Amino acid sequence: MGSPAGNEERKGSVALQTAQNVDQIEAPITWKAYLLCAFASFGGIFFGYDIGYINGVNGSEFFIHLVEGNVAKALTESHTSLIVSILSCGTFFGAIVAGDLADTIGRKWTVIVGCVIYMIGVIIQMVTGVGGDALGTIVAGRLIAGLGVGFESAIVILYMSEICPRKVRGALVAGYQQCITIGILLASCVVYGTQSRTDQSAYRIPIGIQFPWAVILGGGLLFLPDSPRFFVKKGKIEAARNALSRVRGQPESSPFVETELAEIIANEEYERALIPHTTWFGSWASCFKGSLWDGNSNLRRTILGTSLQMMQQWTGVNFIFYYSTIFLQSTGAISNSFLISLIFTLVNVCSTPLSFWTVERFGRRSILLFGATGMLICQFIVAIIGVTVGFNKTHPDPTDATKTIANNIGAVNAQIAFIAIFIFFFASTWGPGAWILIGEIFPLPIRSRGVGLSTASNWLWNTIIAVITPYMVGENRGNLKSSVFFIWGGLCSCALVYTYFLVPETKGLSLEQVDKMMEETTPRTSAKWKPHETFASTVGASGFVEKATV
């Protein structure tokens, strides 16, 4: 830090002008910058497609016969659990590895590597049923594809959070969740269109359509800059300047680029003083340093990020998308469960764009509180109707003794309606909200690992829910039917209490200002906090920031 006098003559360093006040630390938003940032959200499509397609494939008669034999009418609970959950297992490890890789080769190149791994996994899944063990092939393919999804799901969020303008960062990252919902919808449409096929195309078409999403994302990222914050962390200031000018749609000589880069550098040096560069093990240990009772400690931030993703999974939304077809078939109350599943997916897609506005208008914390309240009400209503007059009350079909009919069709329709309303609350609040927050709450020195751990938590709980759900609702296991919604409703109640006491408000703040806010306030008072000084002034820079370059 210092004045510009003589700084230009110092080899290997650069001097940057700092902002005079907190309103000058970022360039005005341009359409070019907006579209550049929005493209990265495309990665959500193959996250969503993977969630959506397996639901239908597991219900495909041809696929069932391939795995279980020609006399089987459904996959066993253990095989269903394994096929669904193995992808999440791969993504868990992929997300953890991706945090390290992103700090080594960069954010965008880590996502590109993930796309390549994902494509390899898709190819393996495509050969399911050729010569060998069908179950082993689909499981191996989904495990490898899961590693790629883990790379993508963790680092796309990190990349977007670091390049998006602060005033629209929430809306743009919410676009990632929108792409997840579009992926689920596309998968549902493909599965719906192939459900009546009686050959290998019944499952190969849904699997094969995964391939283009990775090609588009990986190919497109080749033409985008890497994160300027990654370059600052590596000491590559000129590369950071070039990247920042491209994502802001400004020339490199722009005062906006100078001042924002100076703010990033000042924050990085401040955080580096608190979290010194250390060994590989020490870097991971830094994520868990500090007191549990200090709201600004790295430990609290890591717990916040991982528990946010845990709570998102605890809402039970993936029960709907993984198992809605099989669950609705098991109740005997729905004649076309594939169509109902498709309707749920359409509600998901159409509801998410509302968050583009609400997340910036009302804030992250507010929409999470609203969403948790709405979800718990819907879940309990579905459960109560189901155990009294709905899904759980059926009688044998007089024309076909192997089938059952609901005693009260109107009650079942009401349950379906409230499940759809639950999806609306999730898609417009917790769906995007949890992803937005995990990209904002970590300081730069541990950001990639913190986001990786948070994403790994999402996939860990995704795996746990995928494993246990067939045993909860399987006819020969727990057979909970509608009672399972009491569990999801109780967990949504936990999410409401959790949000009120632990989730801060980050709306409208730069990533550097989020660090300052978490130092100076508590979650319940964070919405009132306003930035009052730049990071450059905090660390004592008087007009200019000087940084050594590599």
Side-chain angles (χ1 to χ4, degrees), residues 53-60 63-64 74-75 79-80 83-84 326:
Y53 93 87
I54 199 62
N55 178 24
V57 168
N58 283 349
S60 164
F63 183 76
I64 291 168
L75 295 177
H79 287 167
T80 300
I83 292 170
V84 173
I326 298 169

Side-chain angles (χ1 to χ4, degrees), residues 278-290 298-299 446 449:
T278 181
T279 63
W280 175 85
F281 181 80
S283 297
W284 276 106
S286 294
C287 295
F288 304 96
K289 286 185 176 178
N298 290 350
L299 175 61
I446 65 166
R449 289 180 173 87

Side-chain angles (χ1 to χ4, degrees), residues 133-341:
D133 176 17
L135 179 64
T137 306
I138 191 75
V139 167
R142 280 179 62 79
L143 176 64
I144 293 171
L147 290 171
V149 175
F151 276 43
E152 176 273 329
S153 59
I155 307 307
V156 164
I157 291 296
L158 172 64
Y159 179 66
M160 292 185 68
S161 296
E162 291 191 339
I163 68 172
C164 291
R166 62 189 170 105
K167 293 181 180 178
V168 293
R169 185 177 62 243
L172 285 169
V173 177
Y176 176 80
Q177 176 67 19
Q178 174 68 9
C179 285
I180 292 176
T181 67
I182 292 172
I184 296 172
L185 174 62
L186 290 172
S188 295
C189 291
V190 172
V191 165
Y192 188 65
T194 58
Q195 64 174 312
S196 60
R197 289 178 174 264
T198 57
D199 57 14
Q200 291 181 340
S201 63
Y203 66 91
R204 283 187 174 166
I205 290 175
I207 290 172
I209 291 176
Q210 297 173 96
F211 204 87
W213 314 138
V215 173
I216 293 170
L217 178 63
L221 281 175
L222 290 172
F223 302 98
L224 267 63
D226 212 324
S227 164
R229 288 174 170 87
F230 164 72
F231 287 127
V232 167
K233 186 173 183 178
K234 290 292 187 180
K236 299 178 179 180
I237 305 305
E238 290 307 321
R241 188 200 299 270
N242 175 266
L244 191 59
S245 72
R246 290 175 65 187
V247 298
R248 294 292 178 261
Q250 300 284 334
E252 290 188 31
S253 58
S254 166
F256 290 112
V257 173
E258 286 263 322
T259 54
E260 184 173 357
L261 186 55
E263 190 72 358
I264 294 170
I265 290 170
N267 172 259
E268 195 271 340
E269 294 197 350
Y270 173 79
E271 295 291 354
R272 184 60 64 198
L274 298 176
I275 312 171
H277 182 73
T278 181
T279 63
W280 175 85
F281 181 80
S283 297
W284 276 106
S286 294
C287 295
F288 304 96
K289 286 185 176 178
S291 168
L292 180 63
W293 311 112
D294 178 4
N296 187 48
S297 71
N298 290 350
L299 175 61
R300 273 288 291 272
R301 295 186 193 217
T302 300
I303 291 174
L304 175 61
T306 53
S307 57
L308 267 168
Q309 292 293 338
M310 177 186 73
M311 289 292 174
Q312 189 201 58
Q313 290 301 305
W314 278 10
T315 61
V317 70
N318 279 336
F319 167 76
I320 304 297
F321 294 121
Y322 281 146
Y323 295 111
S324 61
T325 300
I326 298 169
F327 174 73
L328 293 175
Q329 287 171 344
S330 73
T331 65
I334 303 297
S335 60
N336 193 336
S337 55
F338 277 99
L339 181 60
I340 298 298
S341 179

